[in-house]
Amino acid sequence: DEELLWTAMMGSAIASSIIARHTKLADPEAAFIGGLLHDVGRVYLINEHPDVFKRAPLPAERGQCPPELDFTMRQAGAMIVKKWGFPETLQTVLKNFDNPDELVKERYIYNLVTIITLADRICLTLGIGCALRGGQYPPQGGIAMESQMTNLSDSLGINERGLKKLVENIR
């Protein structure tokens, strides 16, 4: 699981950088680092609390604290990057990753989260990394994934043709 997760995170990093260069809405280097570390809290849970992760991974991922812990996967990721000395912007990205609507007033950070999320969805669609929990990343059908990608790309000003081109470049 951890090797697949790091593969997915590296794929998201590269894809985030490509999307940031294409849209010019975020610094490609910041997008790369955000894409690389957006799931570092998950790595922490896998290593430090494997029993909790295996038993109840989704609440921790969806911003809810599992009963055994007093923090979410995203909060853990934000604490880790703070400890590593990364900028506050990255901490904000990780802490609010699953709630980007709270960041609308901070347009740059909102764009960065949207870029990383789109990159992550593209990588999942392409089968890059992350076959967690019995071969399925959080169950999302092809239509749901396409809809998510369309919504994300629309919010970044990427049209359908541009999205197809980005997907092909990332492939």
Side-chain angles (χ1 to χ4, degrees), residues 13-90:
I14 294 166
S16 294
S17 180
I18 291 169
I19 296 167
R21 275 196 308 273
H22 175 80
T23 63
K24 297 179 180 24
L25 294 174
D27 175 57
E29 185 177 316
F32 181 89
I33 292 168
L36 181 64
L37 297 177
H38 78 282
D39 277 342
V40 74
R42 184 178 291 153
V43 175
Y44 171 80
L45 284 178
I46 288 171
N47 285 298
E48 298 299 321
H49 303 283
D51 51 329
V52 173
F53 182 80
K54 286 178 184 170
R55 236 183 6 263
L58 292 177
E61 292 176 16
R62 292 195 176 137
Q64 301 167 5
C65 298
E68 301 90 336
L69 305 175
D70 61 353
F71 57 87
T72 67
M73 169 187 102
R74 299 301 184 196
Q75 290 168 334
M79 289 185 286
I80 289 167
V81 298
K82 180 179 181 177
K83 183 177 179 178
W84 289 347
F86 281 95
E88 192 173 321
T89 302
L90 183 59

Side-chain angles (χ1 to χ4, degrees), residues 68-126:
E68 301 90 336
L69 305 175
D70 61 353
F71 57 87
T72 67
M73 169 187 102
R74 299 301 184 196
Q75 290 168 334
M79 289 185 286
I80 289 167
V81 298
K82 180 179 181 177
K83 183 177 179 178
W84 289 347
F86 281 95
E88 192 173 321
T89 302
L90 183 59
Q91 296 169 42
T92 302
V93 165
L94 297 186
K95 194 183 312 180
N96 297 293
F97 194 79
D98 296 320
N99 303 307
D101 291 338
E102 292 181 20
L103 301 170
V104 170
K105 291 181 182 174
E106 298 181 56
R107 196 63 190 178
Y108 179 79
I109 296 174
Y110 176 83
N111 289 339
L112 195 53
V113 168
T114 304
I115 287 167
I116 296 165
T117 303
L118 176 59
D120 190 52
R121 298 304 182 265
I122 290 171
C123 288
L124 288 172
T125 300
L126 296 174

